[in-house]
Amino acid sequence: MASRFKYGVVGAGAVSASLIGQLPLKAREIGPVAAVSYRVASRIANTLRAGFPVRSADALNDPAAVLFHSPPDQAESLLALLDDPVIDWAGKALIFCDCSAPLAVRKRFQALGASVVVAREFGIPGRIVLEADKGRDAAALQTVQRIARQLHLKTIEILPASADVFDAAVTLGSGAFTALIDSTAGLLREAGMRDIEAARIAASFFEQTARDYVHSGKQSWTWYVRRPRVAQLNAQLKAAGPELEPVMKQLLLFSFDTFHKHADAATELKVG
């Protein structure tokens, strides 16, 4: 007989702030809520305003999907609860929501018959990233995609064990270049712009570059075809000042190397 509830929850920490807490119609979709203690499970159910606390792991056999959230320091004790042999994982979806799940952990539950997905936000509003094996974890992927549609979220799927690579891309495309925007705005202020105008123009440079890249890829790079005037670049580097000059020079050389263009100009820039 089909379960009355779509999801069971195993949680610790700020469960309501995770993907689990965003579920619409929670009271009708979430069933058993398990935690390291019945008291904690009760608190989670009360915070979610959905589900009911359970004392035994076997209650998780009822729903077809288990939603898991935990801060790193409490994950092991919760995973021990999921390791209880009374749980039949065959055909069940296990979804790690806005928390990490080492590959060894996922393989452990896959070996028991579960399909496993890690679903998390990553800084772009309206999108979540799903880490899973499309073939092996199809059932869990379908469950998360259904949740995403309910929440009007778009999904991005990445390969298993690629989370660090994906996170490196997030860092490189966000926090790693914030200082470049700030430095660009600083140069504009030095050229005579007011603070707010300098910030807006600096942001516009980066936004336009990103839009051009989406449209034309690497061919959008300023010097993809035309060789740069190295003397002009050297004048700009000097004007940038002693702190920014080496950073800007390294970025220029990195660009020449990345796009395999104008090796002679790169050599001339190094010497200059």
Side-chain angles (χ1 to χ4, degrees):
M1 184 174 66
S3 169
R4 291 181 300 144
F5 302 101
K6 291 181 180 178
Y7 314 113
V9 171
V10 175
V15 177
S16 62
S18 73
L19 188 65
I20 300 169
Q22 298 178 44
L23 277 170
L25 304 175
K26 294 189 293 292
R28 288 177 17 205
E29 296 189 338
I30 293 177
V33 176
V36 292
S37 70
Y38 185 80
R39 179 179 60 82
V40 173
S42 296
R43 186 169 70 240
I44 292 171
N46 288 336
T47 302
L48 292 174
R49 296 183 180 179
F52 50 89
V54 295
R55 298 181 184 278
S56 174
D58 61 1
L60 297 172
N61 280 316
D62 188 24
V66 173
L67 309 179
F68 180 101
H69 174 81
S70 174
D73 61 336
Q74 299 182 57
E76 280 304 316
S77 57
L78 276 183
L79 289 171
L81 188 154
L82 292 183
D83 273 328
D84 194 316
V86 301
I87 303 175
D88 180 8
W89 286 105
K92 191 180 292 294
L94 174 58
I95 301 164
F96 291 88
C97 301
D98 292 311
C99 62
S100 61
L103 187 60
V105 169
R106 283 175 273 162
K107 285 185 174 180
R108 191 163 84 222
F109 289 100
Q110 287 171 334
L112 295 172
S115 60
V116 183
V117 171
V118 178
R120 59 189 172 96
E121 297 179 303
F122 60 96
I124 296 181
R127 291 180 182 268
I128 55 173
V129 62
L130 311 180
E131 184 184 351
D133 182 324
K134 279 189 176 181
R136 176 66 183 77
D137 301 315
L141 276 172
Q142 289 175 3
T143 299
V144 181
Q145 286 161 350
R146 181 175 65 243
I147 291 172
R149 286 193 297 272
Q150 286 179 302
L151 299 176
H152 306 291
L153 297 172
K154 292 183 178 180
T155 61
I156 296 173
E157 296 180 15
I158 62 173
L159 298 171
S162 66
D164 287 342
V165 175
F166 180 83
D167 288 346
V170 172
T171 297
L172 189 59
S174 54
F177 76 72
T178 305
L180 293 179
I181 302 175
D182 184 68
S183 297
T184 302
L187 291 174
L188 294 174
R189 285 192 293 270
E190 189 177 334
M193 286 189 182
R194 293 173 300 146
D195 284 356
I196 188 64
E197 183 182 21
R200 286 173 178 167
I201 294 298
S204 294
F205 288 150
F206 286 82
E207 290 167 358
Q208 185 61 54
T209 300
R211 285 195 294 269
D212 290 345
Y213 182 81
V214 170
H215 184 264
S216 304
K218 62 184 180 181
Q219 295 182 28
S220 66
W221 182 51
T222 303
W223 302 289
Y224 187 77
V225 175
R226 183 186 64 212
R227 185 186 188 276
R229 297 179 180 178
V230 178
Q232 192 177 56
L233 291 179
N234 279 325
Q236 293 170 10
L237 289 170
K238 185 176 180 180
E243 291 186 359
L244 189 55
E245 179 181 359
V247 176
M248 187 173 170
K249 186 173 185 177
Q250 189 60 44
L251 286 171
L252 288 167
L253 293 173
F254 179 66
S255 297
F256 294 141
D257 185 58
T258 297
F259 297 115
H260 306 292
K261 292 282 187 177
H262 314 303
D264 58 333
T267 300
E268 188 179 343
L269 188 65
K270 289 178 184 177
V271 173

